[in-house]
Amino acid sequence: MFRLIRLFGALFSLSLRRTLAFRADMFFELVTTCIGAAASLAALGMVFSRTASLGGWSAGEATVLLGTFQVVTGLRSTFVEPNLAWFGGQVKNGQFDAVLLQPAPAIFLASFGAFAPLALIQVGVGLCIAIGGIARAGLTITSTGVLGWLVVVAAATVVMWATRLMLASVVFWAFGLDLDVLYDAVWQFARYPVQIYSPVLRVAFTYALPVALIATVPVEALMGGGVVAAVAVAGGASGIAWLIWRRGLRRYTSATS
């Protein structure tokens, strides 16, 4: 475990040094992130110009949720997408062979072989939005609530990685199937409280897909909700992802052999 942590740090440091070689990119990433966040806030403002409540959530609470969504999205863009977004192509053209030959677990290298450090700007912007939402809603935040929020955000990140790995592993069975667009479409539902959706979608987004866990559940934890279920879901999702990965590896045959 400690060896993997050191490897994670070394890979992130390498990605950071590569990124800092193009410092102008940091400015443009900040600008585009702020524009995107402003557009999301404007859309939320238009919704609340027509109603005082959205699924039982006030404007301030919905803003905290939007900020939390931005945080988890930033973590996804930083740590997961730079690897798994290209995983299918690596399997198809044989580059995955090089991953299997490395002296480290293949699941680790396939998931965390490279990073996009500039995407952490999204995390910072999301935190600012969440803090602004807390002030707007007049919420009384305790240290327990903040700790619960952090734990559930971590659990949401783990579930996000696990579900993304599951979809990426589909390539072991179907080379031509690409579910990235579907995943991105479902991801966008997490921008709003899960309570606004129909009962059928609410059940699906709570128990079948991680939509509620991405932002709704962390904000509920911030306001005093439980965190045990989120941690349990994260553990279960990780276990299922690992099993699917192992079964997929048994089916893999080198594209270069």
Side-chain angles (χ1 to χ4, degrees):
M1 178 61 69
F2 289 109
R3 185 169 69 91
L4 291 180
I5 292 174
R6 290 197 299 270
L7 179 58
F8 182 93
L11 291 171
F12 184 83
S13 176
L14 178 60
S15 296
L16 182 60
R17 289 197 296 270
R18 288 174 177 171
T19 299
L20 292 179
F22 305 94
R23 300 192 178 185
D25 291 352
M26 184 179 299
F27 171 76
F28 289 109
E29 179 71 22
L30 177 61
V31 171
T32 55
T33 299
C34 290
I35 291 174
S40 297
L41 287 171
L44 194 63
M46 286 188 289
V47 171
F48 278 98
S49 68
R50 299 291 182 177
T51 181
S53 176
L54 187 63
W57 292 59
S58 68
E61 292 169 345
T63 302
V64 179
L65 187 147
L66 180 62
T68 302
F69 172 81
Q70 186 78 23
V71 168
V72 180
T73 299
L75 294 173
R76 174 190 169 191
S77 301
T78 302
F79 298 106
V80 176
E81 287 303 317
N83 303 282
L84 295 180
W86 308 105
F87 178 72
Q90 291 180 332
V91 172
K92 294 173 187 177
N93 60 29
Q95 292 180 351
F96 184 56
D97 294 355
V99 175
L100 294 175
L101 294 174
Q102 298 299 316
I107 190 173
F108 179 88
L109 294 177
S111 300
F112 306 113
F115 303 98
L118 288 184
L120 287 175
I121 293 175
Q122 298 180 39
V123 176
V125 172
L127 287 173
C128 292
I129 293 174
I131 292 171
I134 291 172
R136 181 178 182 182
L139 299 176
T140 300
I141 304 301
T142 64
S143 57
T144 302
V146 173
L147 179 61
W149 182 87
L150 291 172
V151 171
V152 179
V153 165
T157 303
V158 171
V159 172
M160 173 267 294
W161 162 78
T163 53
R164 192 67 182 83
L165 180 64
M166 291 180 206
L167 288 183
S169 298
V170 170
V171 72
F172 290 125
W173 286 270
F175 272 19
L177 187 60
D178 187 351
L179 299 176
D180 290 0
V181 175
L182 176 62
Y183 189 85
D184 290 338
V186 172
W187 183 267
Q188 298 304 318
F189 283 101
R191 289 179 176 271
Y192 302 101
V194 73
Q195 289 83 0
I196 71 172
Y197 302 114
S198 67
V200 174
L201 284 178
R202 195 180 309 159
V203 171
F205 289 159
T206 301
Y207 300 103
L209 299 170
V211 172
L213 189 59
I214 294 170
T216 300
V217 176
V219 177
E220 291 175 343
L222 182 65
M223 297 186 291
V227 301
V228 176
V231 174
V233 170
S238 298
I240 294 172
W242 185 82
L243 290 174
I244 293 175
W245 172 266
R246 294 297 300 173
R247 290 183 65 87
L249 282 184
R250 294 192 189 103
R251 294 180 56 88
Y252 177 70
T253 55
S254 174
T256 60
S257 60

